[in-house]
Amino acid sequence: MLAWPIGALIMLGLAWLILFQQLHAERKQLELRTLQEVRTLANGYAEQVQREIDTVEQTARYVRYDWEARQGDVHLGFAEEHGLFVDGARMLVSVVDGEGRVLTSTAPTTLSPAAAAYVLPRVQHGFPVNFFVDEVPIDGRGGPRHRLLFAWELSDRDGKFAAAVVVAVDPAYFTRSDAEAVFRQDGLLALVGDDGRTRALRSEGAAGTVRQPGFVHASSLRLSAGSMLVEDGAWFGDGRPRFVGWQHVDRRGVNAVAGLDYEAALAPWYAMRSAWISSALLGTVTVALFSLLAMSNSLRLARRDHELRVIRDTYRMATEASNEGFYMLRPEWDGEKAVKDFEVIDCNRRAAELVAREPRELIGKKVTELYEGEVLETRMESLRRAMDTGYNEVTLGRPHDSFPAKWVTLKMFRYGDNLAVSARDVTEDRVHEEELLRRSNEDPLTRLPNRYWVESHLRDTIARAERENKMFALLFIDLDGFKAINDTWGHAAGDELLCTAAHRLKEAVRPHDCVTRFGGDEFVIVLATIADPFDAAQASERIQRAFRRSIRLSYGEYVVGASIGISLFPTDGKEPRALLQNADVAMYSAKTSDRGSYRFFDGTFHDQLKARLERIRELRHALAHDQFVMYYEPRVDLADGSITSLEALVRWVHPTRGVVSPAEFVPLVEETGLVLKLGDLVIDKVCAQLALWAKNGDKLVPVSINVSPRQFNDTDVAQTLRRALELHGVDPSLVEVELTESSVMNETASVVSAIQAIRQTGIKVLLDDFGTGYSSLSQLYKLSFDGLKIDRAFIVQLGKTEGGIVIVRAIVTMARALAMRVVAEGVETMEQVDMLRALDCDEIQGYLISKAMPPAQSQPVARNFVVMEA
């Protein structure tokens, strides 16, 4: 009887010994393969780093070539704007003189004193700088960031040191590899210098978890290449063992390092060991059971009885300690072999609690005694399906308030002729899901449904309207004046205004109508089941009446309007997106034609809007492909008839329409903001033309440039002018700036300082279209203009009304008192010339003299216009 257990022990001992020997051999082989793999990864990473260094050097060579070609007149910002640098977001390029000052840069940067002390002496002696670490700002407002610096010498014409080109590179630039083989194993990529300092590091876990282990000691990386297993954790700050491979980057003083986490790399071995041991354990148990069964039939039966008791007791203990409820149900069959009821034959305490009973009260009960009505039918259907299919899982709501769980997930398994049921309380999970759904569909500020919810709601509303053959309306609402309040008093005032507006909108419509915040200051209202369009119009009028009352905020009392666009189902669309788009178009029509009104969708306006958008697209294309040219209109001195200045006027040379008048496109570029780019382009073209005239030896007179109000208020015009003058080598006295009264109407410190900055450059400033705005004498005095131009509307009245002469005389007298020259615009007759001379006007401009002409025809060499009396 003992031979069976003794033989089984010997056989199992040999099997386990072989198993552990084989596991040891497999582990060693996996470690060797991983060392080879990590070295290969390091070699590949080194090649990538070398390519990235080549890109940095190529950038420096471009700057050096540009430096030599332009004799030091390099503008890196211009090159960056035109995309001449690869990956400019991670690579900041600067030119630094011998004192450490930044001469030009792709973005405002500052070289630290420590960096200057290290970089400049080396560059001056012809030694390039590689991978020097410094903290530099990445823009004019940001704080210092960790950057890797590269620097090369820039020489003057005599071959002497003139400056250094410094490239500051984001360390992440060298670790952006798609090395999935590294990061899926909790690995790292790093650049480590020969001095032991880490230049760049990227470490991610298998699920994208960012790690920063950091090097502590890596002296062996001074070798050109290699790989090893670091087990004691001395290399890394987190103490984790890793397989490390490295490759020295040629002549760079850095090493490309790839690391694979030891535990992650050996995960297949651990899985294999677990599987083998599990199989071995299973075999061991099998052999043991076989030997035990062979000892004696009586002993086996006794053992089985004992094991059954242990299992039953263990099951009872496990189920009682579990947070899930367990039931055992026995089906009751009727005469037709169909289940008519289930009896509870066993349950744990948690199962009884879920139905608000004690276990002893539940065992022996029938399902029909626990539930009734529709709840009973639902439960019985689920249980019958489990009996038929062997498994069923459902999540059901609370049948009545006496049951503690609001939501329960039931898993039902058929076991022989009985049914095992587990019940888990999922109320918290369900409440959490409902809360997430509510938040995703609700605007957090106004507590109204958001744009994502309204699209889903519209689909349901459309389906219901189609079934019932009903009409409904969609109102797209935009608040008039919101932006001014938000910009003036800040977002807190804007948020308070939006909440008040949301409240008024809900009050203005019916309780069952849906009010949503679509975004910003836009709201969408769905008016369900309207009888005709008149109902939508009435609702719009109620909304506008609601907004005629002033809104009292913490920051003051304000009045805002509501422009409303209306689309109707089904006439204006049968899809949510079409209805929203058409209502938006109608709102835009109301906003552009008469703010504070409402409009129904009109396809004609939609076509006009499409045409407008096409014109905007053409303007963007024209700016991108330089389709704008400059024409020049002369100004003449009334005293001697000589040309004193030229006014630069922009023209659009359309590829199919020819020369387009400014009246067609200037208002559109002003409205869309394209005037900012167009204004910079005009300044550059005028300076380039002046430089060309000077190069050809032509006689030069000043050229005046019109600066739009938006360009004046939103950009640094003085800085733009200085850059253009320096770029083209133009004398500032040859450029004048014309500002309209609307540009300087707000007499603020910023307006005064902006005009002073332009005049300090050496450029004269003229006030254009004088008389059409709201300038006061105090404004003219404080803003110190060099001259003013009388609007042509007053010149046309000369000789027609006595008032015209009085106004022009007053303007000339005022200008004389302020030491400003006076230019009359729109002069078309000799009678006007005589009157203006009598009124002591200085200069004239208009069709009588000349229309605006292309540069070749407007060059003023030796051209005088005889306008004096005979």
Short mmCIF file of all heavy atoms in Angstrom, two decimals, residues 98-121:
data_model
loop_
_atom_site.label_atom_id
_atom_site.label_comp_id
_atom_site.label_asym_id
_atom_site.label_seq_id
_atom_site.Cartn_x
_atom_site.Cartn_y
_atom_site.Cartn_z
N GLY A 98 29.01 88.71 -29.38
CA GLY A 98 30.06 88.33 -28.44
C GLY A 98 29.75 88.69 -27.02
O GLY A 98 30.39 88.16 -26.09
N GLU A 99 28.80 89.59 -26.79
CA GLU A 99 28.43 89.98 -25.43
C GLU A 99 27.28 89.15 -24.88
O GLU A 99 26.81 89.38 -23.79
CB GLU A 99 28.02 91.46 -25.42
CG GLU A 99 29.10 92.42 -25.88
CD GLU A 99 30.35 92.35 -24.98
OE1 GLU A 99 30.19 92.18 -23.75
OE2 GLU A 99 31.47 92.47 -25.50
N GLY A 100 26.79 88.20 -25.64
CA GLY A 100 25.68 87.36 -25.19
C GLY A 100 24.33 87.95 -25.49
O GLY A 100 23.32 87.44 -25.05
N ARG A 101 24.26 89.03 -26.29
CA ARG A 101 22.96 89.64 -26.63
C ARG A 101 22.36 88.93 -27.83
O ARG A 101 23.07 88.62 -28.80
CB ARG A 101 23.12 91.13 -26.92
CG ARG A 101 23.58 91.97 -25.73
CD ARG A 101 23.56 93.46 -26.08
NE ARG A 101 24.51 93.77 -27.14
CZ ARG A 101 25.77 94.17 -26.93
NH1 ARG A 101 26.22 94.31 -25.68
NH2 ARG A 101 26.58 94.43 -27.93
N VAL A 102 21.05 88.74 -27.77
CA VAL A 102 20.34 88.08 -28.87
C VAL A 102 20.06 89.13 -29.94
O VAL A 102 19.35 90.11 -29.71
CB VAL A 102 19.02 87.45 -28.38
CG1 VAL A 102 18.28 86.85 -29.56
CG2 VAL A 102 19.31 86.39 -27.32
N LEU A 103 20.63 88.90 -31.17
CA LEU A 103 20.43 89.83 -32.29
C LEU A 103 19.13 89.55 -33.02
O LEU A 103 18.41 90.45 -33.42
CB LEU A 103 21.61 89.74 -33.25
CG LEU A 103 23.00 90.04 -32.64
CD1 LEU A 103 24.07 89.90 -33.69
CD2 LEU A 103 23.04 91.44 -32.02
N THR A 104 18.85 88.30 -33.19
CA THR A 104 17.59 87.90 -33.86
C THR A 104 17.28 86.48 -33.43
O THR A 104 18.18 85.72 -33.07
CB THR A 104 17.71 88.00 -35.40
OG1 THR A 104 16.45 87.60 -35.97
CG2 THR A 104 18.78 87.10 -35.94
N SER A 105 16.00 86.13 -33.47
CA SER A 105 15.60 84.81 -32.98
C SER A 105 14.26 84.45 -33.57
O SER A 105 13.47 85.31 -33.95
CB SER A 105 15.51 84.82 -31.45
OG SER A 105 15.01 83.59 -30.98
N THR A 106 14.00 83.13 -33.67
CA THR A 106 12.68 82.68 -34.12
C THR A 106 11.63 82.93 -33.07
O THR A 106 10.45 82.91 -33.37
CB THR A 106 12.72 81.18 -34.45
OG1 THR A 106 13.16 80.46 -33.28
CG2 THR A 106 13.63 80.90 -35.61
N ALA A 107 12.03 83.16 -31.83
CA ALA A 107 11.12 83.53 -30.74
C ALA A 107 11.97 84.21 -29.69
O ALA A 107 13.17 83.92 -29.58
CB ALA A 107 10.42 82.31 -30.15
N PRO A 108 11.39 85.14 -28.93
CA PRO A 108 12.19 85.84 -27.92
C PRO A 108 12.85 84.86 -26.96
O PRO A 108 12.20 84.06 -26.34
CB PRO A 108 11.16 86.72 -27.20
CG PRO A 108 10.07 86.88 -28.18
CD PRO A 108 10.01 85.61 -28.96
N THR A 109 14.19 84.89 -26.85
CA THR A 109 14.93 84.02 -25.95
C THR A 109 15.99 84.83 -25.22
O THR A 109 16.34 85.94 -25.63
CB THR A 109 15.60 82.86 -26.71
OG1 THR A 109 16.50 83.41 -27.67
CG2 THR A 109 14.58 82.01 -27.44
N THR A 110 16.52 84.26 -24.17
CA THR A 110 17.58 84.90 -23.40
C THR A 110 18.63 83.85 -23.09
O THR A 110 18.29 82.78 -22.58
CB THR A 110 17.03 85.50 -22.09
OG1 THR A 110 16.00 86.43 -22.41
CG2 THR A 110 18.14 86.21 -21.35
N LEU A 111 19.88 84.13 -23.38
CA LEU A 111 20.98 83.22 -23.08
C LEU A 111 21.48 83.56 -21.69
O LEU A 111 21.84 84.70 -21.40
CB LEU A 111 22.09 83.38 -24.12
CG LEU A 111 23.14 82.28 -24.19
CD1 LEU A 111 22.47 80.97 -24.61
CD2 LEU A 111 24.24 82.64 -25.17
N SER A 112 21.49 82.58 -20.79
CA SER A 112 21.91 82.82 -19.41
C SER A 112 23.38 83.19 -19.37
O SER A 112 24.15 82.81 -20.26
CB SER A 112 21.65 81.59 -18.56
OG SER A 112 22.55 80.57 -18.91
N PRO A 113 23.82 83.93 -18.33
CA PRO A 113 25.25 84.26 -18.22
C PRO A 113 26.12 83.01 -18.21
O PRO A 113 27.20 83.01 -18.79
CB PRO A 113 25.32 85.03 -16.89
CG PRO A 113 23.95 85.60 -16.73
CD PRO A 113 23.02 84.60 -17.30
N ALA A 114 25.68 81.95 -17.50
CA ALA A 114 26.50 80.74 -17.45
C ALA A 114 26.64 80.12 -18.83
O ALA A 114 27.71 79.66 -19.23
CB ALA A 114 25.87 79.73 -16.49
N ALA A 115 25.55 80.14 -19.61
CA ALA A 115 25.61 79.58 -20.96
C ALA A 115 26.50 80.43 -21.84
O ALA A 115 27.29 79.92 -22.64
CB ALA A 115 24.22 79.49 -21.53
N ALA A 116 26.39 81.76 -21.71
CA ALA A 116 27.23 82.63 -22.52
C ALA A 116 28.70 82.43 -22.21
O ALA A 116 29.56 82.38 -23.09
CB ALA A 116 26.83 84.08 -22.30
N ALA A 117 29.01 82.27 -20.91
CA ALA A 117 30.40 82.06 -20.51
C ALA A 117 30.94 80.74 -21.04
O ALA A 117 32.14 80.59 -21.28
CB ALA A 117 30.52 82.10 -19.00
N TYR A 118 30.06 79.75 -21.23
CA TYR A 118 30.52 78.45 -21.76
C TYR A 118 30.53 78.43 -23.27
O TYR A 118 31.49 77.95 -23.90
CB TYR A 118 29.59 77.35 -21.25
CG TYR A 118 29.94 75.97 -21.76
CD1 TYR A 118 30.87 75.19 -21.13
CD2 TYR A 118 29.30 75.49 -22.91
CE1 TYR A 118 31.20 73.94 -21.62
CE2 TYR A 118 29.62 74.24 -23.39
CZ TYR A 118 30.56 73.46 -22.75
OH TYR A 118 30.87 72.22 -23.24
N VAL A 119 29.49 78.98 -23.88
CA VAL A 119 29.31 78.83 -25.32
C VAL A 119 30.23 79.74 -26.11
O VAL A 119 30.95 79.30 -27.01
CB VAL A 119 27.83 79.11 -25.70
CG1 VAL A 119 27.66 79.18 -27.19
CG2 VAL A 119 26.94 78.02 -25.12
N LEU A 120 30.25 81.05 -25.80
CA LEU A 120 30.93 82.02 -26.67
C LEU A 120 32.43 81.79 -26.77
O LEU A 120 32.98 81.81 -27.87
CB LEU A 120 30.62 83.43 -26.19
CG LEU A 120 29.13 83.85 -26.34
CD1 LEU A 120 28.89 85.21 -25.75
CD2 LEU A 120 28.74 83.81 -27.81
N PRO A 121 33.18 81.55 -25.64
CA PRO A 121 34.63 81.30 -25.81
C PRO A 121 34.90 80.10 -26.70
O PRO A 121 35.83 80.12 -27.50
CB PRO A 121 35.10 81.08 -24.38
CG PRO A 121 34.10 81.76 -23.53
CD PRO A 121 32.80 81.58 -24.23
#
